[in-house]
Amino acid sequence: DAKTTQPNSMESNEEEPVHLPCNHSTISGTDYIHWYRQLPSQGPEYVIHGLTSNVNNRMASLAIAEDRKSSTLILHRATLRDAAVYYCILRDDFGNEKLTFGTGTRLTIIP
Amino acid sequence: GAVVSQHPSWVICKSGTSVKIECRSLDFQATTMFWYRQFPKQSLMLMATSNEGSKATYEQGVEKDKFLINHASLTLSTLTVTSAHPEDSSFYICSASGRSKSYNSPLHFGNGTRLTVT
């Protein structure tokens, strides 16, 4: 599986935007970029995913670099409830559904 | 949205006993379920993949005779930790995928089961 690299931790002030980076320099042409987050003592929660174009949903936005070797998850206005570990995961489209989790980024929101 | 229910949410058992964890898809048929384990301060590690009606596929290093997986129906998979020992204490999480095996389908996760073996 192609690997992703994320900062171990980040901090952000409440009500400010948060940009969570992810590097995936060995991404293949068929890999989708998925983001999940895990709140304390809970299972992971799907956030967003994309292939080449930027994506928006009610939770976040995903900005994908033109060469697809990096991406950024954007939380437009962080709240205390966004404090979690965020995982950037590559997933191919050849029916291999499993998700391989890296270490993720632990996001702390400062009130 | 799709919901995956895991039961129990926590369990304490004595060393040498067996513990069964259930994972149910509540509003969709899960053809594939995944079982993960997470130790404190670590990431999720995939243990096994189970497909309804067939034997589970275990990841390297996971003992299939110790971690018994049954996926007898499209809405239920169970993980049984047999002869549990303190080192099996962990957070066990299941996830499920529906019939649509599209790359656009996110995985749905249960809320996990915290197992403590004394």
Side-chain angles (χ1 to χ4, degrees):
Chain A
D1 293 335
K3 287 200 166 188
T4 63
T5 304
Q6 299 177 252
N8 287 333
S9 63
M10 289 183 65
E11 288 185 349
S12 180
N13 293 320
E14 193 178 8
E15 299 187 4
E16 290 187 357
V18 182
H19 291 235
L20 296 165
C22 181
N23 287 320
H24 28 78
S25 58
T26 59
I27 189 171
S28 73
T30 55
D31 283 337
Y32 277 70
I33 302 159
H34 284 248
W35 283 82
Y36 284 74
R37 71 179 185 181
Q38 186 179 22
L39 278 64
S41 299
Q42 294 188 27
E45 173 188 29
Y46 167 78
V47 178
I48 200 167
H49 76 281
L51 182 62
T52 56
S53 303
N54 293 343
V55 185
N56 300 298
N57 66 20
R58 64 175 180 81
M59 289 182 71
S61 295
L62 177 59
I64 301 172
E66 197 168 331
D67 63 5
R68 300 209 325 127
K69 293 186 176 182
S70 65
S71 61
T72 303
L73 179 70
I74 303 166
L75 307 179
H76 294 286
R77 189 167 168 272
T79 69
L80 295 177
R81 292 170 59 182
D82 292 320
V85 178
Y86 286 78
Y87 297 98
C88 169
I89 303 169
L90 301 183
R91 191 183 185 198
D92 67 50
D93 67 347
F94 286 117
N96 183 6
E97 300 177 271
K98 68 180 181 181
L99 292 176
T100 301
F101 286 80
T103 53
T105 297
R106 182 174 298 277
L107 176 65
T108 300
I109 304 299
I110 302 169
Chain B
V3 176
V4 173
S5 174
Q6 216 175 310
H7 179 80
S9 56
W10 61 270
V11 58
I12 301 172
C13 71
K14 292 189 175 180
S15 187
T17 61
S18 296
V19 174
K20 180 184 285 189
I21 302 169
E22 293 187 348
C23 181
R24 294 179 184 273
S25 56
L26 296 186
D27 54 357
F28 67 102
Q29 293 183 325
T31 52
T32 305
M33 286 189 173
F34 303 91
W35 287 94
Y36 291 84
R37 179 169 55 182
Q38 185 175 33
F39 292 108
K41 304 294 185 186
Q42 294 187 22
S43 187
L44 285 78
M45 295 296 295
L46 180 66
M47 298 175 68
T49 301
S50 74
N51 292 297
E52 185 263 338
S54 62
K55 288 185 178 181
T57 303
Y58 290 81
E59 296 297 304
Q60 193 171 9
V62 178
E63 299 175 57
K64 62 179 182 180
D65 294 331
K66 181 170 183 61
F67 299 100
L68 302 178
I69 292 172
N70 184 286
H71 191 165
S73 79
L74 284 171
T75 59
L76 174 64
S77 175
T78 61
L79 167 68
T80 301
V81 183
T82 63
S83 186
H85 291 285
E87 57 265 30
D88 298 322
S89 298
S90 188
F91 193 48
Y92 292 86
I93 306 166
C94 71
S95 69
S97 174
R99 284 191 178 280
S100 171
K101 292 185 181 295
S102 162
Y103 41 72
N104 284 319
S105 301
L107 285 186
H108 309 288
F109 288 83
N111 269 335
T113 297
R114 187 162 303 282
L115 170 64
T116 302
V117 184
T118 61

